[in-house]
Amino acid sequence: QVQVVESGGGLVQAGGSLRLSCTASGLTFDDYAMTWFRQAPGKEREGVSCISRSGASTYYPNSVKGRFTISRDNAKNTLFLQMNSLKPEDTAMYYCAAGRRYNGCSLLLYEYNYWGQGTQVTVSS
């Protein structure tokens, strides 16, 4: 049984930092590209960063580029998201997702099979 569990969310002031973690079990972690998505109330779920199986390739949309850094530790089945210079518009539920992919990664929701329950990030102004 596959389990994906996020942690590290919380309340932070604008300009602050948070580090999210995600652990996955029940799967061969390095067979999967990993992605962080977020969803704010009333908005669609959007990808904010992804990383390839080996960690060699990453991708960020312009909205977070230069502020967020995704990384993974395949030996510990763990994914990370370092978020710096946080803005109120970063407030959302953040989800970790795993999808089998031969190489690279994408932010397309339908490519991801396994999802966590999310961790809330709230940025106050």
Side-chain angles (χ1 to χ4, degrees):
Q1 180 180 354
V2 176
Q3 287 192 316
V4 178
V5 180
E6 303 93 339
S7 62
L11 173 63
V12 63
Q13 288 189 329
S17 299
L18 280 175
R19 189 189 195 209
L20 305 184
S21 298
C22 167
T23 57
S25 60
L27 51 71
T28 303
F29 190 68
D30 58 7
D31 279 350
Y32 289 79
M34 299 296 295
T35 293
W36 288 99
F37 292 89
R38 69 184 180 189
Q39 188 166 19
K43 295 189 176 181
E44 293 186 351
R45 193 169 295 191
E46 62 171 349
V48 295
S49 61
C50 69
I51 189 166
S52 62
R53 294 164 56 190
S54 68
S57 298
T58 59
Y59 178 79
Y60 306 90
N62 288 337
S63 57
V64 306
K65 192 175 294 183
R67 301 189 297 121
F68 289 11
T69 302
I70 191 171
S71 61
R72 65 190 294 164
D73 183 341
N74 285 347
K76 296 183 178 179
N77 283 21
T78 304
L79 177 73
F80 303 100
L81 184 66
Q82 179 67 44
M83 303 186 294
N84 299 329
S85 302
L86 283 162
K87 305 175 181 180
E89 51 263 43
D90 294 318
T91 294
M93 186 71 79
Y94 282 71
Y95 299 91
C96 168
R100 291 188 71 105
R101 189 181 176 97
Y102 182 71
N103 57 13
C105 66
S106 84
L107 300 182
L108 299 174
L109 274 73
Y110 68 82
E111 292 199 8
Y112 292 87
N113 311 98
Y114 301 110
W115 293 78
Q117 294 299 307
T119 187
Q120 178 68 36
V121 172
T122 303
V123 184
S124 62
S125 58

